Amino acid sequence: MSLYNQWQELAQQQNDQAKVNEFWKNYCQLEQGIYEKILSKNQREWEGSVTELAETFEVSPVYFAGFLDGINESIETPIELDTLEEETKVSLKIDFEKLYFNMLAAKADWLYNLDEWKPILPDERRKEIKKEYNASKTIVKDDKVGRNDPCICGSGKKYKKCCGAN
């Protein structure tokens, strides 16, 4: 069974809400520790086997597979998660701006508020990314053509007498 499948099984095996909350609380602390190390080193590229990288970040390979699931959309070349084994070589080329945006989308305030972001993305840039994120969530409704409005085809007739006629 691949590491990713083991991760999914581990994440879904909790049947009691208290255990679910405890599991995710513990995972989020581990995830925060990984991001603190990545950001504090300001290193965009990380390479090695899953086991080597898991050791670097002081987590188990299964939990590292969970981390890879979370960061997969923020790296240049996404990883085929279903095939992850302990000795699978992975290359993480992180796009920090995309990562910050995705953290906003995940509502992961414990991650996007880390002090380690300051040397990587200045306050102004983080504000711009937050603005871009907010704009991406804004729904803009198209103006609806009224029956008595001029027809959208440009004929000069009322919409109800032209394209709006049954």
Side-chain angles (χ1 to χ4, degrees):
M1 179 184 310
S2 77
L3 287 173
Y4 180 65
N5 291 337
Q6 290 176 42
W7 163 252
Q8 287 183 315
E9 200 171 279
L10 180 65
Q12 295 172 359
Q13 78 181 8
Q14 314 303 328
N15 54 4
D16 174 8
Q17 191 60 43
K19 288 181 182 177
V20 169
N21 294 343
E22 186 66 23
F23 172 82
W24 287 108
K25 179 182 172 190
N26 291 335
Y27 172 73
C28 289
Q29 288 174 342
L30 291 173
E31 181 183 40
Q32 181 176 340
I34 294 171
Y35 280 116
E36 286 171 346
K37 286 181 184 178
I38 289 172
L39 297 172
S40 67
K41 292 188 184 241
N42 195 358
Q43 186 174 337
R44 293 181 186 275
E45 295 185 27
W46 297 81
E47 291 185 354
S49 71
V50 173
T51 301
E52 291 168 347
L53 291 172
E55 288 172 3
T56 300
F57 296 112
E58 301 172 7
V59 295
S60 73
V62 174
Y63 275 82
F64 193 70
F67 168 76
L68 291 174
D69 183 27
I71 198 171
N72 209 22
E73 291 181 11
S74 303
I75 57 179
E76 286 181 17
T77 307
I79 298 166
E80 186 61 45
L81 296 171
D82 291 331
T83 62
L84 277 182
E85 300 295 334
E86 289 188 14
E87 296 311 312
T88 303
K89 297 286 184 194
V90 293
S91 175
L92 305 177
K93 292 183 182 176
I94 304 167
D95 179 341
F96 284 130
E97 290 188 3
K98 194 171 185 182
L99 177 62
Y100 191 81
F101 184 94
N102 290 335
M103 287 177 175
L104 290 168
K107 297 178 179 39
D109 60 328
W110 67 96
L111 298 176
Y112 64 75
N113 285 326
L114 290 172
D115 289 336
E116 287 81 0
W117 278 109
K118 291 178 183 172
I120 297 170
L121 294 174
D123 287 341
E124 268 311 302
R125 183 61 188 134
R126 284 182 285 154
K127 286 178 185 175
E128 289 171 13
I129 294 170
K130 176 119 172 113
K131 208 177 212 181
E132 291 168 17
Y133 167 71
N134 289 340
S136 74
K137 298 299 170 199
T138 303
I139 298 171
V140 179
K141 293 185 178 181
D142 293 332
D143 288 336
K144 205 172 183 183
V145 179
R147 288 175 32 87
N148 291 316
D149 291 340
C151 188
I152 55 175
C153 74
S155 67
K157 297 180 182 179
K158 289 186 177 183
Y159 180 74
K160 67 182 178 186
K161 296 285 186 176
C162 188
C163 293
N166 288 336

